[in-house]
């Protein structure tokens, strides 16, 4: 499929999105149409239907794949099933990055799935970097209202000129709006789409307290329902750009409806366990793109008064409520 044809398909599909977020209208693609093997040798297996992929982590290596094209904005999605049982230290990532093109000033938009010890839940982490701003972490972490190891669930990223929106099963869970003061901290350069599984023992579970135990290997992550709709660009162009209509359609698609916003607020109220916007230990001054929600701030202060309340560790009194109760296990 040539560049012009891909662009026309991209524009027509996003026109369909404008009238309402209709993810089911976007076709799934064959793995070989959109992706290529990144690393892991035999630890990456494409199903015989050509639409599903299995990534494995074992004692030898992790594995991963990457998009064939490089994109300047778009919608990127996959249904993923995570490994069950003991998974501490395991990291599964579904993300956009241009670190191979811009080693010192790369951009990144991340979905990261962080494993846990037996009996505790997987956690999701989202993050963004722009122009190499890795010193300013913009992480958020959440629990889920379902067990992500029992079945496939869809995880999606919408990236436009002014918005980044993360979705779980078509429910928006995080919205980042570009502000003038963010400058280059907002991802703005063309990126590839990656999916990987790897050993994050040094940090992924309780700050590295629990690492990968290869007694439980292999760890297998399954990907299907791959959606890869973006504005593919030539990385050799000095100032790559998309057609005006494609840009406009993306902007319109990134407007969250009232119903979607209500679902997002409900999710964040019940399931968000960390947000950099409320972390007084890291940021004495709230970063410009943060929209402080008093209800979120209050809930997180109760959840962790040291991190979110700025209370010195030696001055905490009493016991705060358990994380499991505050995180919630009910549906959104």
């Amino acid at each position: 499929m040539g560049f012009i044809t891909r662009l026309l398909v991209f524009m027509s599909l996003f026109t369909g999105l404008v009238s309402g977020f209709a993810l089911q209208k976007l076709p799934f693609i064959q793995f070989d149409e959109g992706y290529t093997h990144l690393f892991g040798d035999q630890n990456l297996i494409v199903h015989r239907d050509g639409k599903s992929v299995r990534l494995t982590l074992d004692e030898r290596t992790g594995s991963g794949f990457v998009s064939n094209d490089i994109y300047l904005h778009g919608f990127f999605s996959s249904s993923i099933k995570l490994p069950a049982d003991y998974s501490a230290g395991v990291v599964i990532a579904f993300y956009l990055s241009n670190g191979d093109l811009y080693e010192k000033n790369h951009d990144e938009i991340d979905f990261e799935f962080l494993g846990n010890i037996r009996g505790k839940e997987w956690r999701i982490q989202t993050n963004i970097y722009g122009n190499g701003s890795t010193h300013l972490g913009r992480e958020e972490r959440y629990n889920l209202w379902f067990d992500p190891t029992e079945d496939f669930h869809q995880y999606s990223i919408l990236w436009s000129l002014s918005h980044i929106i993360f979705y779980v099963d078509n429910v928006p869970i995080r919205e980042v709006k570009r502000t003038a003061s963010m400058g280059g901290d907002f991802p703005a350069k063309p990126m590839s789409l990656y999916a990987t599984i790897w050993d994050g023992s040094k940090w992924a579970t309780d700050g590295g307290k629990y690492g990968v135990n290869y007694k439980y290997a292999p760890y297998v992550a399954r990907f299907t329902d791959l959606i890869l709709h973006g504005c593919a660009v030539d990385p050799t162009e000095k100032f790559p750009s998309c057609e005006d209509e494609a840009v406009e359609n993306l902007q319109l698609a990134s407007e969250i409806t009232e119903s979607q916003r209500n679902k997002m607020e409900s999710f964040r109220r019940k399931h968000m366990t960390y947000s950099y916007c409320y972390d007084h230990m890291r940021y004495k001054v709230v970063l410009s793109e943060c929209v402080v929600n008093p209800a979120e701030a209050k809930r997180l202060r109760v959840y962790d008064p040291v991190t979110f309340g700025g209370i010195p560790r030696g001055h905490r009194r009493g016991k705060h409520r358990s994380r499991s109760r505050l995180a919630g296990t009910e549906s959104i």
Side-chain angles (χ1 to χ4, degrees):
M1 186 184 293
F3 170 75
I4 298 299
T5 304
R6 288 198 306 268
L7 182 59
L8 290 173
V9 171
F10 165 73
M11 290 164 58
S12 65
L13 286 166
F14 268 102
T15 301
L17 280 177
V18 171
S19 60
F21 191 78
L23 187 58
Q24 66 272 19
K25 292 185 179 180
L26 295 174
F28 306 134
I29 64 169
Q30 296 285 110
F31 178 82
D32 291 340
E33 285 182 43
Y35 298 96
T36 190
H37 194 136
L38 180 63
F39 74 100
D41 302 322
Q42 291 83 11
N43 280 11
L44 184 155
I45 297 177
V46 180
H47 193 270
R48 66 183 64 182
D49 65 7
K51 298 179 181 179
S52 304
V53 188
R54 189 176 73 189
L55 296 183
T56 297
L57 168 67
D58 58 24
E59 296 91 337
R60 297 183 307 109
T61 182
S63 52
F65 58 87
V66 61
S67 61
N68 294 327
D69 289 322
I70 297 173
Y71 299 91
L72 183 62
H73 309 133
F75 182 82
F76 312 93
S77 183
S78 178
S79 290
I80 305 171
K81 184 178 180 182
L82 304 180
D85 204 5
Y86 184 98
S87 57
V90 177
V91 178
I92 294 163
F94 181 73
Y95 65 106
L96 292 153
S97 178
N98 50 30
D100 56 336
L101 296 174
Y102 306 95
E103 184 177 347
K104 296 183 179 180
N105 62 333
H106 83 287
D107 304 327
E108 202 165 298
I109 304 173
D110 300 336
F111 255 124
E112 292 178 312
F113 305 88
L114 309 179
N116 219 327
I117 60 175
R118 182 177 290 162
K120 292 196 174 183
E121 303 165 339
W122 280 82
R123 293 142 304 138
I124 291 183
Q125 177 167 286
T126 61
N127 201 0
I128 69 166
Y129 297 117
N131 210 31
S133 58
T134 54
H135 63 290
L136 291 177
R138 289 179 162 89
E139 302 96 335
E140 288 193 348
R141 285 190 290 274
Y142 328 87
N143 294 322
L144 292 166
W145 66 95
F146 54 81
D147 184 345
T149 71
E150 289 185 348
D151 204 350
F152 287 91
H153 292 270
Q154 196 143 29
Y155 306 91
S156 312
I157 298 169
L158 177 64
W159 171 40
S160 74
L161 184 65
S162 62
H163 287 71
I164 297 168
I165 304 174
F166 296 87
Y167 297 86
V168 176
D169 286 343
N170 298 336
V171 174
I173 66 168
R174 179 181 181 183
E175 176 187 33
V176 180
K177 292 184 179 180
R178 186 177 195 166
T179 62
S181 55
M182 285 183 77
D185 286 359
F186 188 91
K189 298 188 293 294
M191 293 190 277
S192 301
L193 192 284
Y194 294 83
T196 58
I197 183 171
W198 49 283
D199 187 330
S201 293
K202 292 183 179 179
W203 67 274
T205 307
D206 287 356
K209 182 178 179 181
Y210 302 101
V212 174
N213 186 337
Y214 286 102
K215 179 177 72 173
Y216 299 99
Y219 298 98
V220 179
R222 293 173 170 83
F223 293 74
T224 191
D225 297 347
L226 301 167
I227 297 176
L228 189 62
H229 286 295
C231 181
V233 297
D234 183 348
T236 63
E237 292 183 8
K238 189 173 183 179
F239 300 105
S241 63
C242 298
E243 295 293 326
D244 290 343
E245 186 175 352
V247 173
E248 182 180 356
N249 287 336
L250 256 180
Q251 290 298 106
L252 290 170
S254 64
E255 294 297 324
I256 294 179
T257 66
E258 182 179 357
S259 174
Q260 289 175 316
R261 190 164 298 282
N262 289 338
K263 289 181 178 180
M264 180 171 70
E265 290 176 354
S266 175
F267 171 86
R268 294 173 67 83
R269 184 173 63 250
K270 296 174 182 177
H271 301 289
M272 185 171 71
T273 61
Y274 176 84
S275 172
Y276 73 101
C277 287
Y278 305 101
D279 189 339
H280 297 288
M281 301 294 288
R282 291 174 70 186
Y283 301 113
K284 303 304 179 185
V285 178
V286 176
L287 297 185
S288 65
E289 73 276 9
C290 291
V291 178
V292 175
N293 181 316
E296 285 183 356
K298 181 178 180 180
R299 176 183 174 278
L300 289 173
R301 278 198 302 272
V302 175
Y303 179 69
D304 185 343
V306 173
T307 301
F308 303 114
I311 299 173
R313 292 190 181 275
H315 292 78
R316 296 173 63 182
R317 293 183 179 179
K319 295 182 179 179
H320 57 277
R321 294 164 63 191
S322 72
R323 293 191 175 196
S324 59
R325 289 181 60 195
L326 282 164
T329 55
E330 68 272 40
S331 68
I332 59 167

